[in-house]
Amino acid sequence: MGKISRRIKGQPSSHQSKIASTNEAKKVTKDEEQQHRRPQSVVLTRAHNIGATLIQISFIWIIVAGLLKISSYTRANPANNHNYSNNKAFTSQVAAENDDVNAYDEIQVEGTTYQIPKQMLQPFLSYPDPIGITEDMRKLFHPVVIFPKIWEGKNQIYNYQVMDHTQSKGQSELVPLEKWRLLHDDASKENLLPSNKENKKIPFTVGRYDEKRSLMYNTEMFQNESVTIDGYDGLRTIHIGIDLGGPVGTKVYAFENGIIHSVGYNSDHGDYGNVIVVEHHLGGGGKIWALYGHLDSKSIKGKAPGNKVKKGQVLGRLGNIHENGGWTSPHVHFQLSANPPKTHDMPGVVSSIDRPKAMVNYPDPRFVLGMLY
């Protein structure tokens, strides 16, 4: 008889044992590979985390640097396209200078009584408005100069500095007469004018209305009491326009429709240089005259009285020293007049005696520009 071979239950055959041994060997080999590979995966993960951290740190430094840059500027928050809120620090300074901000004098002009603040540098809407410019009208006016904007948190704010010329250092804003004469010589002009690099560093600024600038206006033009402009003479030191400053070449816009009243070049040292006067037409048939002074020479080319002006039109650009009357800080002198001037001129500075009537004849430009300060 043939032999019957038996195997005990649960005991693997020799073939099965070989298979099991092979599988076990494969398992050990696979585990070893995973152990070898695991450190590489950990290294890659750590490298990824370090890279992400570096990116986050760089981003944080960029934000911090931006905030530091913003904090170095004087700021104002716009209420609309060109209307600005008060600079609180500066307003408190002005209030401290004026002890009795509610004191007024009364003056009659052509049968109408107006209240004139006794103290200078008063807040917006403190001065008489003989034209009747409303807030709704003001919201529709185009900015005369468009200030750049910067970010503060989640909001964009206008970037300009409100100037204080009550303590100006003499003629620091006006180039000396001898140098000014050399600037009209083409051979000397190129070396005396600011470079493009210097021009780009010029900040945007606002010079105030109804500000006494005793130390700035000390040339013959302002000190000679026999000089008369539209009936205004005497020792003239009180500024009755608003200066909008910026780099040479900054665009100057018409705030409303109208026609050119007069245009020309006022050649005296410390005068307007190239200047345009526009008769602006307001709602309801009203009119107001605006002077745009200290422009470049190209601003007046091709312009003549009677030319139509459209709201938002580029009237000209800020002029350099040799064409703006000799002023070292480029700016447009923006002045309003309730009456048409005789020519392309207005008394941008008046005497203390003439100040009350000047506040009526030459209204606060903030009625057009908005609350710049």
mmCIF file of all heavy atoms in Angstrom, residues 91 94-104 116-123 126:
data_model
loop_
_atom_site.group_PDB
_atom_site.id
_atom_site.type_symbol
_atom_site.label_atom_id
_atom_site.label_comp_id
_atom_site.label_asym_id
_atom_site.label_seq_id
_atom_site.Cartn_x
_atom_site.Cartn_y
_atom_site.Cartn_z
ATOM 1 N N THR A 91 -5.069 122.321 13.747
ATOM 2 C CA THR A 91 -6.212 123.133 14.166
ATOM 3 C C THR A 91 -6.065 123.563 15.623
ATOM 4 O O THR A 91 -6.366 124.693 15.978
ATOM 5 C CB THR A 91 -7.515 122.336 13.995
ATOM 6 O OG1 THR A 91 -7.619 121.927 12.633
ATOM 7 C CG2 THR A 91 -8.726 123.188 14.341
ATOM 8 N N VAL A 94 -3.683 126.465 15.808
ATOM 9 C CA VAL A 94 -4.301 127.723 15.386
ATOM 10 C C VAL A 94 -5.222 128.247 16.479
ATOM 11 O O VAL A 94 -5.247 129.428 16.782
ATOM 12 C CB VAL A 94 -5.080 127.526 14.075
ATOM 13 C CG1 VAL A 94 -5.861 128.784 13.727
ATOM 14 C CG2 VAL A 94 -4.121 127.176 12.943
ATOM 15 N N ALA A 95 -5.995 127.338 17.101
ATOM 16 C CA ALA A 95 -6.913 127.756 18.157
ATOM 17 C C ALA A 95 -6.148 128.344 19.333
ATOM 18 O O ALA A 95 -6.595 129.297 19.971
ATOM 19 C CB ALA A 95 -7.753 126.567 18.610
ATOM 20 N N ALA A 96 -4.972 127.778 19.622
ATOM 21 C CA ALA A 96 -4.168 128.300 20.727
ATOM 22 C C ALA A 96 -3.653 129.695 20.430
ATOM 23 O O ALA A 96 -3.509 130.518 21.332
ATOM 24 C CB ALA A 96 -3.000 127.351 20.991
ATOM 25 N N GLU A 97 -3.386 129.968 19.137
ATOM 26 C CA GLU A 97 -2.895 131.289 18.758
ATOM 27 C C GLU A 97 -3.990 132.349 18.870
ATOM 28 O O GLU A 97 -3.731 133.510 19.125
ATOM 29 C CB GLU A 97 -2.371 131.255 17.322
ATOM 30 C CG GLU A 97 -1.113 130.400 17.154
ATOM 31 C CD GLU A 97 -0.732 130.254 15.704
ATOM 32 O OE1 GLU A 97 -1.485 130.765 14.844
ATOM 33 O OE2 GLU A 97 0.298 129.636 15.416
ATOM 34 N N ASN A 98 -5.242 131.930 18.664
ATOM 35 C CA ASN A 98 -6.362 132.861 18.648
ATOM 36 C C ASN A 98 -7.205 132.660 19.901
ATOM 37 O O ASN A 98 -7.962 131.698 20.001
ATOM 38 C CB ASN A 98 -7.221 132.630 17.392
ATOM 39 C CG ASN A 98 -6.382 132.793 16.128
ATOM 40 O OD1 ASN A 98 -5.443 133.576 16.105
ATOM 41 N ND2 ASN A 98 -6.724 132.060 15.090
ATOM 42 N N ASP A 99 -7.072 133.550 20.862
ATOM 43 C CA ASP A 99 -7.767 133.375 22.132
ATOM 44 C C ASP A 99 -9.271 133.542 21.995
ATOM 45 O O ASP A 99 -10.046 132.808 22.609
ATOM 46 C CB ASP A 99 -7.237 134.390 23.162
ATOM 47 C CG ASP A 99 -5.769 134.151 23.472
ATOM 48 O OD1 ASP A 99 -5.352 132.987 23.377
ATOM 49 O OD2 ASP A 99 -5.068 135.125 23.793
ATOM 50 N N ASP A 100 -9.709 134.502 21.198
ATOM 51 C CA ASP A 100 -11.138 134.776 21.073
ATOM 52 C C ASP A 100 -11.567 134.499 19.638
ATOM 53 O O ASP A 100 -11.656 135.399 18.808
ATOM 54 C CB ASP A 100 -11.419 136.239 21.449
ATOM 55 C CG ASP A 100 -12.918 136.506 21.586
ATOM 56 O OD1 ASP A 100 -13.698 135.566 21.359
ATOM 57 O OD2 ASP A 100 -13.284 137.647 21.905
ATOM 58 N N VAL A 101 -11.825 133.223 19.331
ATOM 59 C CA VAL A 101 -12.104 132.827 17.953
ATOM 60 C C VAL A 101 -13.510 133.224 17.507
ATOM 61 O O VAL A 101 -13.823 133.155 16.326
ATOM 62 C CB VAL A 101 -11.917 131.307 17.774
ATOM 63 C CG1 VAL A 101 -10.482 130.920 18.009
ATOM 64 C CG2 VAL A 101 -12.836 130.526 18.713
ATOM 65 N N ASN A 102 -14.365 133.634 18.446
ATOM 66 C CA ASN A 102 -15.741 133.975 18.101
ATOM 67 C C ASN A 102 -15.966 135.481 17.967
ATOM 68 O O ASN A 102 -17.102 135.925 17.794
ATOM 69 C CB ASN A 102 -16.708 133.408 19.154
ATOM 70 C CG ASN A 102 -16.678 131.891 19.171
ATOM 71 O OD1 ASN A 102 -16.673 131.265 18.117
ATOM 72 N ND2 ASN A 102 -16.670 131.303 20.364
ATOM 73 N N ALA A 103 -14.891 136.270 18.068
ATOM 74 C CA ALA A 103 -15.030 137.726 17.985
ATOM 75 C C ALA A 103 -15.043 138.167 16.521
ATOM 76 O O ALA A 103 -14.209 137.737 15.724
ATOM 77 C CB ALA A 103 -13.892 138.397 18.730
ATOM 78 N N TYR A 104 -16.021 139.033 16.180
ATOM 79 C CA TYR A 104 -16.180 139.496 14.795
ATOM 80 C C TYR A 104 -16.321 141.014 14.756
ATOM 81 O O TYR A 104 -16.825 141.634 15.690
ATOM 82 C CB TYR A 104 -17.423 138.869 14.151
ATOM 83 C CG TYR A 104 -17.293 137.395 13.851
ATOM 84 C CD1 TYR A 104 -17.609 136.438 14.804
ATOM 85 C CD2 TYR A 104 -16.861 136.958 12.598
ATOM 86 C CE1 TYR A 104 -17.494 135.082 14.527
ATOM 87 C CE2 TYR A 104 -16.751 135.603 12.305
ATOM 88 C CZ TYR A 104 -17.067 134.677 13.277
ATOM 89 O OH TYR A 104 -16.950 133.332 12.995
ATOM 90 N N ILE A 116 -16.614 139.906 9.941
ATOM 91 C CA ILE A 116 -15.226 139.554 9.666
ATOM 92 C C ILE A 116 -14.564 139.084 10.961
ATOM 93 O O ILE A 116 -14.601 139.809 11.968
ATOM 94 C CB ILE A 116 -14.433 140.760 9.111
ATOM 95 C CG1 ILE A 116 -15.186 141.413 7.944
ATOM 96 C CG2 ILE A 116 -13.034 140.329 8.707
ATOM 97 C CD1 ILE A 116 -15.398 140.509 6.755
ATOM 98 N N PRO A 117 -13.970 137.908 11.004
ATOM 99 C CA PRO A 117 -13.276 137.464 12.224
ATOM 100 C C PRO A 117 -12.168 138.445 12.617
ATOM 101 O O PRO A 117 -11.381 138.873 11.767
ATOM 102 C CB PRO A 117 -12.681 136.107 11.831
ATOM 103 C CG PRO A 117 -13.465 135.657 10.645
ATOM 104 C CD PRO A 117 -13.869 136.904 9.925
ATOM 105 N N LYS A 118 -12.126 138.809 13.879
ATOM 106 C CA LYS A 118 -11.071 139.711 14.335
ATOM 107 C C LYS A 118 -9.703 139.039 14.281
ATOM 108 O O LYS A 118 -8.709 139.673 13.970
ATOM 109 C CB LYS A 118 -11.366 140.178 15.764
ATOM 110 C CG LYS A 118 -12.505 141.174 15.873
ATOM 111 C CD LYS A 118 -12.639 141.670 17.304
ATOM 112 C CE LYS A 118 -13.732 142.736 17.414
ATOM 113 N NZ LYS A 118 -13.860 143.242 18.802
ATOM 114 N N GLN A 119 -9.687 137.761 14.612
ATOM 115 C CA GLN A 119 -8.446 137.012 14.611
ATOM 116 C C GLN A 119 -8.221 136.345 13.246
ATOM 117 O O GLN A 119 -9.171 135.976 12.563
ATOM 118 C CB GLN A 119 -8.469 135.931 15.699
ATOM 119 C CG GLN A 119 -8.643 136.463 17.111
ATOM 120 C CD GLN A 119 -7.427 137.252 17.570
ATOM 121 O OE1 GLN A 119 -6.329 137.050 17.076
ATOM 122 N NE2 GLN A 119 -7.627 138.151 18.523
ATOM 123 N N MET A 120 -6.970 136.187 12.871
ATOM 124 C CA MET A 120 -6.624 135.568 11.594
ATOM 125 C C MET A 120 -6.610 134.044 11.720
ATOM 126 O O MET A 120 -6.750 133.486 12.805
ATOM 127 C CB MET A 120 -5.252 136.058 11.119
ATOM 128 C CG MET A 120 -5.183 137.551 10.888
ATOM 129 S SD MET A 120 -3.524 138.078 10.395
ATOM 130 C CE MET A 120 -3.712 139.858 10.525
ATOM 131 N N LEU A 121 -6.459 133.408 10.575
ATOM 132 C CA LEU A 121 -6.314 131.941 10.505
ATOM 133 C C LEU A 121 -7.480 131.219 11.164
ATOM 134 O O LEU A 121 -7.301 130.304 11.974
ATOM 135 C CB LEU A 121 -4.984 131.514 11.153
ATOM 136 C CG LEU A 121 -3.715 131.998 10.463
ATOM 137 C CD1 LEU A 121 -2.493 131.680 11.309
ATOM 138 C CD2 LEU A 121 -3.577 131.382 9.090
ATOM 139 N N GLN A 122 -8.690 131.631 10.791
ATOM 140 C CA GLN A 122 -9.876 131.012 11.363
ATOM 141 C C GLN A 122 -10.297 129.756 10.582
ATOM 142 O O GLN A 122 -9.932 129.578 9.425
ATOM 143 C CB GLN A 122 -11.016 132.021 11.395
ATOM 144 C CG GLN A 122 -10.775 133.170 12.355
ATOM 145 C CD GLN A 122 -10.504 132.677 13.768
ATOM 146 O OE1 GLN A 122 -11.332 132.010 14.375
ATOM 147 N NE2 GLN A 122 -9.336 132.998 14.290
ATOM 148 N N PRO A 123 -11.072 128.867 11.219
ATOM 149 C CA PRO A 123 -11.480 127.616 10.564
ATOM 150 C C PRO A 123 -12.356 127.855 9.334
ATOM 151 O O PRO A 123 -12.899 128.947 9.125
ATOM 152 C CB PRO A 123 -12.257 126.879 11.658
ATOM 153 C CG PRO A 123 -11.810 127.495 12.941
ATOM 154 C CD PRO A 123 -11.497 128.931 12.620
ATOM 155 N N SER A 126 -15.694 130.238 8.534
ATOM 156 C CA SER A 126 -15.724 131.367 9.470
ATOM 157 C C SER A 126 -15.779 132.713 8.752
ATOM 158 O O SER A 126 -16.091 133.724 9.365
ATOM 159 C CB SER A 126 -14.475 131.346 10.370
ATOM 160 O OG SER A 126 -14.416 130.171 11.139
#
